Structures are given as C-alpha cells and as structure tokens.
Amino acid sequence: MTKVIALFNQAGGVGKSTITQNLGYHLSLRRHRVLVVDMDPQASLTSFMGLEPADLKETIYSALVPVEDEVDKPLPIHKDLHGMDLAPANLLLANAEQELIFAEQREFRLKDILSPLLNSYDFILVDCPPSLGILSQISLVASTHVLVPVQCQYKALLGTESLLKTVYKVKRRLNTDLTFAGFLPTLYSGSNSLDRRTLQIVQEQLASVGLILPTVPRATALAEATEYGMPLALCPKKSPEIVQIFDQIAQAVESL
Amino acid sequence: MSKSPKPSTRRLRNVTLFNDADEAVPPTLSVPLASIIISATQPRRYFAPEAMRVLVESVKKDGVLQPILVRPVGDKYELVAGERRYRAAKEAGLTDIPVVVREMSDSSAVRLALMENLQREDLNPVEETEGILELLAITLDYPTADVPLLLQRLQKEIKRKKLSHNVMGQPLVESVPPELAIIQSVFESFGRMSWESFTSNRLPLLNLPDDILEALREGRIEYTKAKEIAKLESESSRQELLEEAIASSLSLSQIRERVKAVQPPPEQGEFAARIDATTKRVKKLKVWENPSKRSRLESLLKQLEELISEEGLDEAQPIEEAEAPQNQLPSTAKSEQESSPIESGLDPLGSQKEVTKEFKSELSLPPPRTPEVPDEQETPSSEPLDESRPDAKDEPIQKGSEFTESLTDAEMASRLGLKTSTLGKAKKRTNFSEWSKSKDPDAIAWQWVAESKRFVSVKN
C-alpha cells in the first residue's frame, strides 16, 4: 500500500523541504516510485527541485481549487526530476487558504486529488506549509503517516506541543488511520549544549509517540545543495556522512 | 539573565494524547457513583451553571465519554480529576461512571488534580492564580499563604543580584536558591507564563477586594474592568457599580467615568502629601535630565509658579482652589498628568516603569530644546476654552472687526492700572473676565484672544 507521508511542523525553517527532497531521492534510489508534493505557498521544495515557481502556470493550486462549472483538473506533475516526480506550488497557493474555507468537504480535497495516483507510487511525500491552517490540515487528512522534523532548539520544543495537539485532533476526527512516521531532529549542532539538551528531550519524551529518526546535523553543504536545486547526494560538494544519514532515514521510512 | 531551567526538567505537553491511544491505555472500568468520594483537598473550583447544564444534557444523551481519574482508598475511590463530569453524571441520574483507577500518593493526587485544572483553557485568572499558588505550595511543601512572600523575596533578590552582576561583572548563577529551581520547573511544566511574570502580574490580583475576586472567579466580569471597579474604596458603591457593570455590560471607559464620578475629591491634607511625594520623585528621577520631559517639566513648573503668584496677586478674589489649577493646564499637559503616577496615585509601579523607560532612552534623543514661552506667543491649544464654564458661551468667537474695543497688552495694562507682567499672568486665568470687570473703570469684562493677541470686551 502506498505510504503518504506528511512532513509537518508549523515552525518554518526547520528543514521540511530539504528533508522531503532528500528523503524522496533516497527512497527513489531504493527503487521506489516517489512523488513529492509541495503544499507550501513559499514553494521552497519546488525551487529546491530546480523549478522557478513564479513561471509555473499549473500548480497544485489548480487542482485544489477548481474553477466553478469546470471539470476538476488533475494534479499537475513534473516527471522524473532527480528520480522522482513533483507536484509543484507557487505563491498562488496562499489563496487556497481562503478559497477552501467554503469548499464542500474541503478537509478531503487533497485526499481526493491524490487517491487516483496511489497505484502509481510507493511513496508520496507531502511538504506541508509552516502553519496550522487549512493547507496543513488537508495534508494531514490525506496522509497515512506524519513525519515531524524538529529543530534542536528549545523554542521548537514548545511548538511541538501544539503540533501534537493538531495531529491528535485530525487523527481523532478526520483521519483515524494517521500514525507518526517519526520525529526527525534537524539542524543539530553537537557543540551547542542547548542543542544537546533539546535533542535529549526529544529522544526521551517523544519516543513514546513515534520513532526517533537519525539526527540531521546543521551543515553548510545542505544549505548549498538547495542553491544547486538538487538533492545533496547529487551536489558537487556533498557531505558523505549526511548522505548516509539520509539513506538511513529512507531505510527507516521504507520499513514503516 | 536568570539561569534558564534545565530543559531536561521540562515535560512536553500533549505527549500523553498519543500514549493513551496506544495499547498502554490504563484499563477503564465502570464503578457506582456512590463508591466515589471527593477529597477535602480537591481544588476549589467554580462551576459555571450554564456550562454545567450543557454538560448534564450531553451526559444524559451520550453518557460520560471520558473516564474520570480516581485512586483507590480503602474500598472506595477518591476522585482525582474530573469533578465536573462526576457532578454532571450525578445530576443526570446515572448510577455508574467510567473511571481510570491509578494508585498514587496524597501529594501527587493533589498535584494531578491541580495540573488537570490548570490545563483547562477556560480557567479564569483568579482560579489560575490560586491554583498555581496551591501547586507551588504543595511542590515546595510551604503553607500556601507564604508562597507569595517567597516569590516576591526571590524576585527582589534576583533584581539585586542582576544589578551587582552588571556592576561587578560577576557571574550570578552560583547561588540560585533551591526553591527557585523548583518554582521554575513548576512554571515550566504547564508553560503558560514565567514565574517572574506571575509574581509581578498575577499576585497583585489577589489583593483585590473579596467581592471583586468573587465576581472574577465566577467569570461574571473581565479582569480589566474588575481592576477598575476595585479602585472604589467604599464597599457599597463598589458593589453597586459591579452589579451595574455586569447587568448592563458597561464598557471599560464607562466604568472609568463612573469610578471617577463616585470617587470623593482628595482631602486637603492629601495635597501636601502628594506635593511632597511628587517633588521627591521628580528630584530622584532627575526628570530634567530627560530631554523629552524637560520642556514639559519646564512648562508645568511655570504654571505652578504662576498659580502661586496669582494667589498673592489679588486676595480679594480668591481662586476656586480645587478647579483653577486643573483648568489652567494646557490640554496636552493635562492628559499627560492624568496618566502620571502623581495624578492617579493608583498604579505607582506601572507608571514608574514607563517613566524609567523613557528616561533610559535619553541617550538616543536629540539635545534638549528649551522653548521660551513668552506671554505673547500663546498657542490656541494652551488657552483654556472650557465649554462647561458659564461665561464661555459668551466668548467672542470671531476676533477683531465686530468689536469696537480691542486693546493691546500695554493699553489694557494701563486701563486697568496694572503692570504688563501682572496682566500677562492674569489674562490666562479662567475667571479673567470677571476679574477684569472688577478692575475696569467702566466695569467692562474683557477677554484675551490669543490669535489676535488682543483684549476684546465680552458682550453682556
């Protein structure tokens, strides 16, 4: 069965898009058919994949918000970008927050759009926006799993609490099958004592909720890779250790 | 900086949401309502009747969905959390109620009950404050009544240390009192506010009069409004205003007006005390060193000086003491004074903060501007045009032309037989018209028109 994994954290800049891209790439290396879906109006994932969001005519927005009296449009998909497929976004998607308010069965909009694709993919990774709004909500409803990147900062821990509540609410009412794929500590800097303590809390306290995945360090190579518009493993200045960590994460996600 | 608590002491909230969903769910059973006892330590709580009614309705329809938490005591169960559900079940006429039974010590039972209470989102500030105090008392093993003092003492100590830290450049972390670590961890555990903010913002809440506290506890009135009503010292008028405010849901500004109207004017003796206190504060804060305040201070002083010289100016025409100084303030200065600690005398701490804040910003401000305010350059805004004054209605609105008589300073001074400097001060008094009439050889009442810098006669 296809695993639909929402990468979700209402905090911005914790590494959602980076993880989505690299996890997708490593899953594809492991011979899985992968679709990555950009649900963030900031469209970081879309640009990390090498597209220029502003130039796109058709994005996930066209599928999410149907024009009245028109047949629902299928999800526009860009095939085989670094071994995976991409449903891109751009800033227009921000309008969807408002426009979906009155849509019927809006909670299931993304789920309905993805359902015809389930047979074509083994993994669908949904890059959620950094908010607790409708776009995040419908992403969680459409998913089988939620993967939470957690920045190793005290502030991020506080955000995790409301995140847990949000996931819990969706799970209780709209998507009882939703489970945690795990927590992924990111932007970790081992020389910082605060980071170390925060990581410890994540490992101790969140283990009862979901798997704690291998920690992704803070690294220049990762930031650079986004500039190249490709997964880290394909970049000229790749860091072998981090590439290996992504592969471990892919392995863990594979056996969910 | 105060040392942040070890994050390892922080327990993430909402983790249990998922733990409960796992197989680790403690077994739920149903027990007779009669087998449940309420302990005396159960935190006192107000149950809003309307919310309670809704809950009872829902229990009648669907039963109690979420089990209550109890602990075994002999052959009975003592309620730990879920008193509302328990009451609703009783009222709905149920015989049994679903419970989760957990063994726990007395203190952890109380802690759990309090924590559960504090997690509620609809808790009002009084309940929350009292709950936090109780929780602190239990955790620290202190009598509840002593906790506020402890908090205030710690806050003072830390402030002092911070100061010496800044001055001496010494680290201050070595001697954190053990209580502080516990207090911090308690506040961390429910993460709603810091202990410092609790101490300075929430503790004062409990000093409110009992009737006000009760209304707050019952959620009948908002905190900001309650605080305003509490300013009334007389219990009967306070009670009256409280009831009115609730019944006709008065706005905050309406309440302010009423408080102002009811509050008796300050006693004579209070003036002396206030003046002394004000002078002391002004000197201590060196208000004149703050460029932004300097010119205001100057004009206020000037007005005071004028006020005093007027007193000696004409003994036969005593100024209405209580009102004259107020009316003579330029409107800007007046509004400023209303919010100053001197005037309100009610919120000395808050306003002092403001003063020192502005005071601190001194360095980034341009050099002081020392405006000369000659009598001739009165701006219209500083001319009191009090509409409530009876003679104000007769004030000439158009200047010049339609009045045959219009005199300059010097002409008027000679007409009234005064020095120009005396006239300069006198013309700003509210009762200048009457006063000039008494001095005028033809008993004409005069009025100073700042725009034209001339005196004109007042009709009638």
Side-chain angles (χ1 to χ4, degrees), chain A residues 1 4 6 32 38 77 80 113 138 148 198 210 253:
Chain A
M1 211 191 87
V4 183
H32 297 293
D38 198 348
I77 291 175
D80 199 20
I113 293 165
I138 63 176
V148 183
T198 312
V253 168

Side-chain angles (χ1 to χ4, degrees), chain B residues 118 123-133 148 151-152 155 187 190 192-208 213 223:
Chain B
L118 288 172
L123 218 58
N124 68 53
V126 180
E127 287 178 310
E128 194 178 59
T129 306
E130 288 172 340
I132 290 171
L133 277 181
L151 288 171
Q152 278 152 356
Q155 199 170 45
F187 279 92
F190 63 89
R192 208 161 296 177
M193 65 188 96
S194 71
W195 74 274
E196 290 100 328
S197 131
F198 177 80
T199 308
S200 37
N201 300 325
R202 286 307 188 80
L203 285 185
L205 185 69
L206 300 179
N207 297 333
L208 292 175
L213 270 184
Y223 177 45

Side-chain angles (χ1 to χ4, degrees), chain A residues 188-205:
Chain A
Y188 175 70
S189 148
S191 58
N192 184 324
S193 67
L194 189 62
D195 282 21
R196 287 202 302 273
R197 284 196 305 232
T198 312
L199 181 62
Q200 197 190 340
I201 297 181
V202 169
Q203 288 170 339
E204 279 171 5
Q205 298 192 32

Side-chain angles (χ1 to χ4, degrees), chain A residues 168 172-173, chain B residues 20 25-30 33 54-69 81-82 84-86 88-90 92 94 96-100:
Chain A
Y168 178 69
R172 217 173 46 165
R173 286 184 32 244
Chain B
D20 288 353
V25 177
T28 303
L29 50 144
S30 209
L33 273 172
V54 172
L55 184 61
V56 171
E57 282 311 305
S58 122
V59 166
K60 273 185 188 154
K61 209 166 127 248
D62 302 318
V64 176
L65 297 175
Q66 196 191 349
I68 61 173
L69 180 62
R84 262 168 52 83
R85 275 163 284 161
Y86 166 79
K90 241 177 155 176
L94 301 190
D96 291 4
I97 188 166
V99 296
V100 170

Side-chain angles (χ1 to χ4, degrees), chain A residues 101-166:
Chain A
I101 288 178
F102 301 107
E104 259 176 64
Q105 300 283 322
R106 55 166 184 175
E107 288 92 346
F108 301 97
R109 281 306 297 166
L110 186 61
K111 192 182 173 75
D112 291 347
I113 293 165
L114 293 181
S115 64
L117 301 167
L118 294 179
N119 287 330
S120 322
Y121 296 100
D122 302 310
F123 286 94
I124 298 178
L125 306 182
V126 182
D127 187 18
C128 295
S131 78
L132 296 173
I134 289 179
L135 292 177
S136 287
Q137 193 197 26
I138 63 176
S139 302
L140 290 174
V141 171
S143 301
T144 56
H145 295 80
V146 51
L147 195 161
V148 183
V150 186
Q151 188 181 355
C152 293
Q153 285 277 316
Y154 188 64
K155 189 189 86 179
L157 274 186
L158 303 184
T160 307
E161 294 179 346
S162 43
L163 178 146
L164 290 174
K165 197 158 192 180
T166 305

